[in-house]
Amino acid sequence: MPRKEKELYAALYKILGVWPRKIQYYKVALMHKSLGHRDFNPKTKRLGKRISNERLEFLGDAILDAVVGDLVYRRYTGKPEGFLTNTRSKLVQRETLGRLAQQMGITRLIMASGRSVQHNSYIGGNAFEALVGALYLDRGYDACMTFWNKRVMGEYLNADKIAYKEMNFKSKLLEWSQKNKVQLEYRMVSQSQDENGSPIFVYAVVLNGVVCPNGEGYSKKEAQQMASEKTINKLRADKTFADKIIIVQSEQQEGETGTEKEKEVAVEMESSLKVTATEQAIDELSLDDLSARELSREEIIAAAEAAAYSEKEAI
């Protein structure tokens, strides 16, 4: 066996916790479409179809949905369907899988042409899904379940911290803007490429015509999420900026006195932007360290639910 293939076997064992049986599945899983690689038929001596990890990515995505759905269902007994769906989405979203690919050493194994994958979460996330697809074809569903539970959840992710962490800033900002009758717009500032040819998008949030902070990312969604997060933080921290939105909102209202309307809108915005006790506890959890375990699972859930209950009683 060639040395490079031995090294790949060892690297995959370290990542998956099992030895590969059919190494070809995993080689394809780590093959990005940018290589433009084609299969070669020795009989006809002609190049065949293009080979990439996209088909395995599709399969792995479906397997992950089933595996993580099973985990979430069993772990959070009694929780409503909405909570289960939201938690599963957070655990398998591209940002989370991209971070896992980086931490577990998958990104350095990806074969891509003329580009760096270290900072591109979507390439790492795609490869993570493709690797799960390869593991499923090679060793079956149970092996995928064991990989996620023992390797991923056992060493890298804390499901409870992610479940109670608000990560969809775009949805949160949209909900706030609708509640306060504020017009929300995402405006593209620029689109370019980095030195490796990867696309870079810059978006700005616009509230009632007021331009808010920019967000940058390797996809439109990632850039809009970053801009939304920065805008929420600025609205919470900068009263002058929030007042500017309030004044614009007040001027758009007809048939009401400016002073009274300003006060009314200010109260509504202050209420909707107020960080609850639960959110404060959750916001302290850093996504940069998903493996941190300061509190037990029971303590995290109990604290979050107790805070939510006390807030409900106070209303």
Side-chain angles (χ1 to χ4, degrees):
M1 183 184 295
R3 179 180 176 182
K4 286 188 176 180
E5 194 155 292
K6 287 182 179 179
E7 292 176 350
L8 180 59
Y9 268 94
L12 288 171
Y13 176 77
K14 184 177 180 181
I15 292 169
L16 301 173
V18 295
W19 290 103
R21 290 173 179 168
K22 296 182 180 179
I23 194 65
Q24 187 60 30
Y25 288 141
Y26 303 94
K27 287 182 177 180
V28 174
L30 297 169
M31 189 175 296
H32 189 261
K33 64 181 179 180
S34 64
L35 284 174
H37 185 77
R38 292 179 179 271
D39 194 12
F40 179 74
N41 190 326
K43 292 183 180 180
T44 62
K45 296 183 179 180
R46 292 181 178 179
L47 294 175
K49 297 180 179 179
R50 289 183 179 274
I51 299 176
S52 75
N53 62 1
E54 289 183 327
R55 283 173 54 82
L56 282 175
E57 176 193 337
F58 165 81
L59 179 60
D61 178 59
I63 299 300
L64 274 177
D65 270 352
V67 167
V68 178
D70 189 314
L71 164 76
V72 170
Y73 179 84
R74 296 174 187 274
R75 192 179 187 92
Y76 302 106
T77 57
K79 291 295 182 183
E81 181 269 342
F83 175 88
L84 301 180
T85 300
N86 192 35
T87 299
R88 182 184 63 183
S89 297
K90 290 177 182 178
L91 288 169
V92 299
Q93 69 176 346
R94 196 51 45 89
E95 289 80 2
T96 303
L97 298 184
R99 192 184 297 272
L100 283 172
Q102 179 71 33
Q103 292 177 333
M104 299 179 77
I106 296 173
T107 50
R108 64 183 179 82
L109 298 178
I110 299 174
M111 294 174 282
S113 176
R115 65 173 65 203
S116 171
V117 300
Q118 297 300 317
H119 58 274
N120 290 355
S121 62
Y122 65 92
I123 295 181
N126 291 349
F128 186 98
E129 291 177 339
L131 206 60
V132 171
L135 181 62
Y136 172 74
L137 292 177
D138 188 31
R139 285 183 167 268
Y141 180 82
D142 288 343
C144 297
M145 179 70 78
T146 300
F147 164 66
W148 183 268
N149 285 337
K150 291 189 175 181
R151 296 288 294 142
V152 178
M153 299 300 302
E155 299 182 33
Y156 295 95
L157 288 185
N158 186 318
D160 299 319
K161 288 189 175 183
I162 293 178
Y164 289 96
K165 173 74 179 180
E166 177 57 58
M167 296 173 67
N168 195 338
F169 299 102
K170 188 176 178 181
S171 294
K172 193 174 184 68
L173 185 60
L174 176 61
E175 180 182 352
W176 173 84
S177 65
Q178 290 176 340
K179 180 179 180 180
N180 292 281
K181 298 181 176 61
V182 172
Q183 184 178 357
L184 170 63
E185 175 190 353
Y186 289 93
R187 185 177 299 170
M188 181 183 286
V189 177
S190 66
Q191 180 179 348
S192 59
Q193 292 183 335
D194 64 9
E195 65 276 9
N196 299 301
S198 300
I200 299 177
F201 299 92
V202 178
Y203 270 82
V205 170
V206 182
L207 297 175
N208 279 340
V210 178
V211 179
C212 303
N214 291 346
E216 181 179 300
Y218 289 97
S219 68
K220 294 179 180 179
K221 180 180 178 181
E222 185 179 351
Q224 291 173 1
Q225 281 280 8
M226 180 62 68
S228 299
E229 180 181 5
K230 288 182 177 179
T231 299
I232 289 173
N233 291 335
K234 188 173 181 64
L235 285 167
R236 285 173 173 171
D238 188 346
K239 188 176 184 301
T240 303
F241 178 72
D243 287 342
K244 187 176 181 180
I245 305 295
I246 294 173
I247 293 172
V248 172
Q249 176 69 6
S250 301
E251 292 174 348
Q252 292 176 350
Q253 302 297 324
E254 295 180 1
E256 297 185 60
T257 60
T259 304
E260 291 176 351
K261 188 59 185 177
E262 254 182 59
K263 291 181 179 179
E264 180 184 337
V265 175
V267 170
E268 289 181 1
M269 293 187 70
E270 183 180 356
S271 175
S272 60
L273 289 171
K274 183 179 179 182
V275 182
T276 64
T278 305
E279 288 176 320
Q280 284 182 332
I282 292 170
D283 285 345
E284 292 174 357
L285 306 175
S286 172
L287 292 178
D288 293 330
D289 183 13
L290 297 176
S291 60
R293 301 175 183 273
E294 292 85 354
L295 299 176
S296 68
R297 170 177 176 262
E298 292 76 13
E299 289 172 332
I300 293 172
I301 296 176
E305 292 186 340
Y309 179 78
S310 63
E311 289 161 7
K312 184 177 180 181
E313 288 294 308
I315 294 175

